[in-house]
Amino acid sequence: MKNKIMIYLDQEYPNESAQLLEIIEKAYNKNEMITYAAGWVEEKQVPCWFDHLLLLPPDERSRYDARWMASVLEQMCREHEFCCVIIPSTWTGRMLAPLLAVKLESGLTADITDIETLDDKLLMIRPAFSGKVMAKITSKDSQVIMMSARLGAFSYTGLQQKKMQTEPYLFQEPIRSGIRQLGREDKKQTADIREAEVLISGGGGVGRRFDQLYPLSKRLNAMVSASRKSVDSGMASRSIQVGQSGKIVSPQLYIALGIYGSMQHIEGLKDIPYIISVNINKNAPICSLSDIVVEGDAIEFVTKLLERIKKE
Ligand SMILES: Cc1cc2nc3c(=O)[nH]c(=O)nc-3n(C[C@H](O)[C@H](O)[C@H](O)COP(=O)(O)OP(=O)(O)OC[C@H]3O[C@@H](n4cnc5c(N)ncnc54)[C@H](O)[C@@H]3O)c2cc1C
């Protein structure tokens, strides 16, 4: 079928995955398309934006066995003959997408951050050559157009609620993938920087003094994030990295402390109304994007601001 499109919903991020519907809104005439959402999720987790919701029955293997998951989704794709399959670039999605693409003998454009159309062609856009160019990729011969997309790069407005038809998807048990689970430990739940209203972000200019950002973040009800420099130097965890190889964030206020503003970092900043940067070099690229630039030492700024807040 030329008009059936499926978005895979990652069970850890069902709502964010559903936002990828913006891709369909941007790239297709939505009235001509039949939209499917599918995943190992619960009905209540999925906004009523799709024509169909295919629910896969709960199964432990959906948490760790990407080969088994790809086999199940292959059956679904072949049965429904989707013309386009979109998978979120989550930890699971990044394993699942290439496995499914191989099974469907399709090309895969990974990690797209935008989409355009040109003369009826879909142009899937993603950073290339370390973010120096934005590549526009088109799928030439594949029967199915497959892409994985960065969460946070797309946000469906959800104005149109649909009468979504929900049904369980019954599949034939694929042959064993060879992966066995020996044990299980739940990961500790940590807050996600993508949900923060205010982000205090530390970079190379903060260096080993990174921990000094936390008291200020507590006072401002903010969260701490980092550039890759801080992550690579072991000062911050990868889960709080902003940028091309980290997360795309959209807080109301972004305070960039000792961050240069490389292209790869800026790629992680989306629709931020207010940016303050503190840098000893007022010509650093991040300063030209900022509403307020403070020229000086990042930690001196943090200390003085904290003192001021405590006084008031
Ligand atoms: C494929 C690829 C993916 C990448 N992905 C990411 C990504 O997701 N996120 C990311 O951030 N980077 C990413 N990078 C790395 C990126 O290119 C930069 O190297 C990185 O962003 C630099 O981090 P920074 O600005 O914190 O540090 P630096 O480049 O070291 O800049 C430090 C800044 O702090 C200022 N400064 C120095 N001392 C002080 C002080 N005492 N007080 C105040 N300011 C001071 C300096 O003037 C400078 O502007 C990626 C690179 C590649 C190749």
Side-chain angles (χ1 to χ4, degrees), residues 132-192:
K132 289 192 180 67
V133 293
M134 295 304 279
K136 296 186 174 182
I137 300 164
T138 185
S139 174
K140 265 175 94 184
D141 302 319
S142 301
Q143 286 213 319
V144 187
I145 296 177
M146 272 201 70
M147 63 188 97
S148 65
R150 295 282 292 272
L151 290 187
F154 298 94
S155 54
Y156 182 64
T157 50
L159 292 176
Q160 200 188 352
Q161 296 277 317
K162 290 201 165 176
K163 219 171 164 222
M164 191 161 68
Q165 278 186 33
T166 304
E167 52 188 285
Y169 180 70
L170 304 172
F171 54 90
Q172 288 195 348
E173 187 55 42
I175 47 167
R176 287 176 68 89
S177 75
I179 293 178
R180 268 193 311 141
Q181 185 180 21
L182 300 177
R184 181 187 158 154
E185 199 175 317
D186 283 334
K187 82 171 182 207
K188 290 189 195 86
Q189 270 303 338
T190 47
D192 190 330

Side-chain angles (χ1 to χ4, degrees), residues 216-280:
L216 180 64
S217 76
K218 217 169 166 188
R219 276 281 170 162
L220 293 180
N221 224 348
M223 284 174 73
V224 171
S225 57
S227 73
R228 179 152 153 185
K229 184 84 169 248
S230 299
V231 173
D232 287 348
S233 59
M235 291 296 113
S237 131
R238 177 110 16 226
S239 64
I240 62 167
Q241 181 187 314
V242 171
Q244 188 198 105
S245 50
K247 289 178 176 161
I248 297 177
V249 295
S250 305
Q252 290 300 305
L253 169 64
Y254 188 74
I255 307 180
L257 301 167
I259 291 179
Y260 175 73
S262 65
M263 192 191 263
Q264 293 91 352
H265 187 81
I266 303 296
E267 261 177 45
L269 309 178
K270 193 177 180 223
D271 300 336
I272 302 183
Y274 222 78
I275 299 179
I276 300 175
S277 59
V278 184
N279 203 301
I280 51 170

